Amino acid sequence: MLSRTLRLFLFGFGLVLALLAQAAYGAVVRAEVKSSLTKRWALPDLYEASVIELQTGLNAGDFTSVDLLKAYFARISEVNLQGPALRAVIETNPSALAEAAALDAERQLLGPRSLLHGIPVLLKDNIATTASEGMNTTAGSYSMLGSIVPGDAGVVKRLRAAGAIILGKANLSEFAHYRGNLASGWSGRGGQCTAAYYPGSDPCGSSAGSGVAASIGLAAVTLGTETDGSITCPASHNNLAGIKPTVGLTSRAGVIPISEHQDTVGPLTRSVSDAAIVLSIIAGPDPNDNFTLAQPNRVPQYERALSANALQGARIGVPRAMFLEPAYSGLDDTVMSAFGTALQTLESLGATIVDPADLPSAYQIYASRNESIVNAVDFKVQINAWYQSLYTNPSGVRSLAELIAFDDANPTLEEPTGYTSQSTLIAAEATSGYNATFYQALAADYQLGRTNGIDAALQQYNLDALVLPANGRTTTPAAIAGYPIVTVPLGFYPDNTTTESAGPNTVYPAPGVPFGLSFLGTAYSEYNLIGFAYAYEQKTMTRLARRAYPAAIPATQLADIISP
C-alpha cells in the first residue's frame, strides 16, 4: 500500500498537470475565440482603422464605444511609458468610459449623431477641456498643472455635440514650441516624445504627441494646432494626413495661444478621408473667436471633396525659388527624388504641373523678421490674458514674467539637462505691446504671404494650388498669410540612411522615417486641397508601404477586449 505521503505527492503532481493542461487549453481557446471574433465580424485593425470602419462596427453592434476606449487605453499603456516609452500621451480622460457608456445607450435608442458619435479623439494639451471632467490643460507646463479653465474649447464643444469622446491629452512641444531652443516633442509634464518609425526619432512639433498617437492607432483621430508648421511637420514625420486650416475656419477659443493671427486647430489622422470628416465637424463660426466670424457663411461638407478624379484638369504650381534650393531648403536627394516622382504622379492623375511657379516674395520671406515680431507681441499679450482667465492656478503663475521665474525656480520639473532654454519666452517678455512696429510687421507679413506671395503665384500662373515637400520652409508663407495646407505621406528614408541629431535625445533623418507632401492654397481653399490630396493618396497609398518599428506597435486589438 502506498504511504500517505506518496499518495499526497501523486495527487498534488496530478493536480498540477491538470491545471497546466487546463491553462494550455484555455490559452488555445482564447486564441481561437480571438481569431474567430476577428474573422466573424471583421473587426478593424486599430493600427489603421478608419472612422468609417469604426462607425460601421459600432452601428452593427460588433463592439461598443466602451470596448473601443478600453482597447485604446490598453494600447496607450503598452507603448506610452512602457516598452519604447514614446511619451505621446500626457494623460487619459477619467470620465471617458462613463461618457462612452452613455453614448452607447444613446446610439441604441436614437442612432448616431454624426460620423464621430462614440469615436475617441485625442487632443493636444493646449486645447482646453472642462476641469470637472478630470483632465488638465497645461501646454505641457507645470505652471498650469491643476489650473481651472473657464470651460471647453470651441472645437471641443463641437466634438462633444457630434458625439465624440475625448480620450485624453497628447504631449507636445511645451507651449507649442514657443519656449526656447528645445527639441521638438519635449514638455516638462510629458517628457521627450519620440516617433514610432525609428527608435528616438524626431516626431516634429509642436503637435508631436498627436502625430505619434495617430500614427500607430493610440486614438481614432487626433487634433493638433499650428502656428507655423506644427500640424504639417508632425504629419510629415509620422506618415499621416494633416490639415492646417485657414486661420479663422476653426475656433481658437479655449486654446492656449501663441498668436491669434497665425494659430489654427486641425486634424492629424491616418487618412485624408478621416481628416475631412473631422474638419467638417470642428469648422464653423464661434462668437468667442472673432476671426471665425469672417469665414464664408456655409461650411462645406469636406468629405464630399473626396474624389479620386479631383486632380483632373487642375493646375498645380511648383514654387522652386528658395523653397527647393538646397542652400535655403535643406532638402536632400531622397526627398527631392520622391518629390519628382510625386509630380509625375500628379500629372498622371490629370493635373497640369506648372514648374516653376515661384512666389515673387520668396526671398523676402526668407530674410524677413516680421513673423518673429508678430508672434512675440501676440504671445505676451495673449498668454498673460490666458493666465488671468484661469479660475484658479495652484502654481500662482499669472503672467509671462512669472512663468519665466517659475521655470527657473523649478529646474527639476522645467529645466532638466538639455532642456533649459527659455530664450523665446524671454524675447516675448521684452516686447512692449501693440504698437506701430507690430502693425507694420503684421501688414508686411500679409503683403509677403498673401498679396506678393501665395495669391500672386496662384493668379500669375492661373493655378488651383501649390505643391511642395513638407519641410520647415514650406509652411512659412501659409503661416504668415493665415492660409491652409493639406499634407499627405510622400515617402520614407532608405534603410541605409545615416542618422543625424535633431535634439538632445532625438534623431532625423534616420532609416525608415517618413516625410510628407503638402498642398497649399489661398484662404478657405480647403475643399479643393482635400480633393487633390485625396486623389494623390489613393493613387499612391504611401502610408501602407511601411509600418512603425515592431516594439512601437501596440498588440491590443478589439478582439482582446470583447467578451465572447
Side-chain angles (χ1 to χ4, degrees):
M1 176 178 282
L2 295 172
S3 69
R4 181 172 182 273
T5 301
L6 181 58
R7 279 186 283 122
L8 286 172
F9 169 77
L10 291 173
F11 174 77
F13 184 68
L15 181 60
V16 169
L17 288 176
L19 289 171
L20 288 172
Q22 184 180 33
Y25 176 73
V28 171
V29 168
R30 285 192 296 273
E32 289 180 350
V33 167
K34 178 178 176 179
S35 176
S36 174
L37 284 170
T38 303
K39 290 177 182 177
R40 179 182 173 190
W41 287 320
L43 296 175
D45 175 3
L46 295 181
Y47 185 91
E48 289 293 347
S50 70
V51 169
I52 295 296
E53 288 175 314
L54 295 175
Q55 201 59 242
T56 299
L58 289 166
N59 285 332
D62 294 344
F63 51 88
T64 65
S65 291
V66 170
D67 294 329
L68 197 52
L69 269 174
K70 289 179 178 178
Y72 283 130
F73 285 156
R75 290 171 71 85
I76 291 168
S77 179
E78 287 182 64
V79 299
N80 193 55
L81 299 180
Q82 302 181 50
L86 300 176
R87 296 187 174 274
V89 180
I90 285 184
E91 59 184 293
T92 55
N93 182 359
S95 302
L97 287 172
E99 293 167 5
L103 287 162
D104 283 334
E106 181 182 321
R107 182 189 300 275
Q108 290 289 325
L109 186 64
L110 301 172
R113 302 183 196 178
S114 77
L115 287 174
L116 288 187
H117 185 112
I119 300 295
V121 179
L122 185 70
L123 305 176
K124 187 176 179 178
D125 185 41
N126 60 349
I127 301 174
T129 50
T130 182
S132 61
E133 193 173 37
M135 289 187 291
N136 292 282
T137 303
T138 68
S141 169
Y142 279 102
S143 73
M144 296 189 200
L145 185 62
S147 64
I148 307 299
V149 298
D152 283 335
V155 291
V156 175
K157 292 176 183 177
R158 287 181 172 272
L159 287 170
R160 293 197 200 278
I165 303 163
I166 307 306
L167 175 68
K169 295 295 181 74
N171 198 5
L172 71 167
S173 308
E174 189 168 299
F175 283 104
H177 219 164
Y178 205 78
R179 196 187 105 160
N181 185 24
L182 303 173
S184 283
W186 181 85
S187 71
R189 285 194 64 214
Q192 180 62 64
C193 175
T194 57
Y197 281 83
Y198 185 84
S201 59
D202 177 16
C204 209
S206 61
S207 306
S210 300
V212 174
S215 75
I216 53 173
L218 302 187
V221 297
T222 69
L223 286 192
T225 65
E226 177 158 330
T227 307
D228 188 343
S230 291
I231 290 172
T232 304
C233 192
S236 177
H237 281 217
N238 292 285
N239 200 22
L240 295 172
I243 300 176
K244 178 251 179 180
T246 303
V247 171
L249 181 65
T250 55
S251 172
R252 290 84 46 79
V255 177
I256 298 174
I258 292 178
S259 167
E260 66 181 6
H261 296 96
Q262 292 186 204
D263 294 347
T264 186
V265 182
L268 283 154
T269 63
R270 292 177 290 278
S271 68
V272 176
S273 59
D274 281 358
I277 289 168
V278 175
L279 185 61
S280 293
I281 285 170
I282 64 172
D286 180 352
N288 295 314
D289 181 352
N290 288 338
F291 282 67
T292 66
L293 304 182
Q295 67 183 249
N297 290 332
R298 190 178 183 87
V299 174
Q301 290 297 305
Y302 292 106
E303 54 268 39
R304 294 179 183 172
L306 303 174
S307 168
N309 299 319
L311 281 160
Q312 290 185 6
R315 289 176 58 83
I316 308 296
V318 181
R320 287 194 178 269
M322 198 275 283
F323 300 102
L324 296 179
E325 295 178 38
Y328 296 97
S329 69
L331 295 172
D332 56 35
D333 291 344
T334 297
V335 175
M336 289 303 295
S337 175
F339 181 63
T341 301
L343 295 181
Q344 294 173 5
T345 300
L346 296 174
E347 205 163 29
S348 75
L349 291 168
T352 297
I353 303 300
V354 181
D355 185 4
D358 295 331
L359 275 60
S361 61
Y363 297 104
Q364 292 172 282
I365 291 172
Y366 178 81
S368 171
R369 290 190 61 255
N370 293 312
E371 182 181 16
S372 296
I373 295 169
V374 170
N375 287 347
V377 173
D378 269 347
F379 182 76
K380 180 179 180 179
V381 172
Q382 291 158 30
I383 201 66
N384 283 344
W386 180 273
Y387 277 111
Q388 290 295 322
S389 75
L390 299 174
Y391 291 161
T392 61
N393 190 16
S395 74
V397 173
R398 287 292 180 179
S399 69
L400 175 55
E402 291 177 4
L403 165 63
I404 295 168
F406 174 88
D407 288 349
D408 287 339
N410 294 275
T412 303
L413 298 178
E414 287 292 344
E415 296 180 359
T417 302
Y419 300 97
T420 58
S421 176
Q422 295 201 83
S423 57
T424 309
L425 298 184
I426 293 167
E429 174 59 23
T431 62
S432 53
Y434 295 128
N435 54 25
T437 301
F438 169 84
Y439 288 112
Q440 287 166 6
L442 180 61
D445 267 354
Y446 287 163
Q447 185 76 10
L448 293 173
R450 298 176 181 180
T451 311
N452 291 337
I454 292 173
D455 289 334
L458 295 176
Q459 292 165 14
Q460 180 179 346
Y461 298 101
N462 190 28
L463 303 175
D464 297 293
L466 302 170
V467 67
L468 283 169
N471 81 328
R473 299 292 180 208
T474 299
T475 59
T476 299
I480 62 178
Y483 285 178
I485 306 174
V486 178
T487 301
V488 290
L490 172 58
F492 304 87
Y493 278 92
D495 290 337
N496 63 354
T497 299
T498 301
T499 60
E500 297 179 19
S501 175
N505 297 296
T506 57
V507 295
Y508 192 94
V513 295
F515 50 87
L517 181 73
S518 290
F519 294 86
L520 299 80
T522 191
Y524 305 110
S525 62
E526 286 85 353
Y527 191 94
N528 288 339
L529 299 182
I530 287 168
F532 301 152
Y534 177 80
Y536 175 83
E537 172 200 59
Q538 293 301 299
K539 176 67 174 178
T540 59
M541 301 302 285
T542 302
R543 173 173 166 79
L544 303 181
R546 189 156 192 150
R547 287 165 71 91
Y549 65 91
I553 301 175
T556 303
Q557 295 287 351
L558 278 164
D560 298 303
I561 304 299
I562 300 171
S563 299

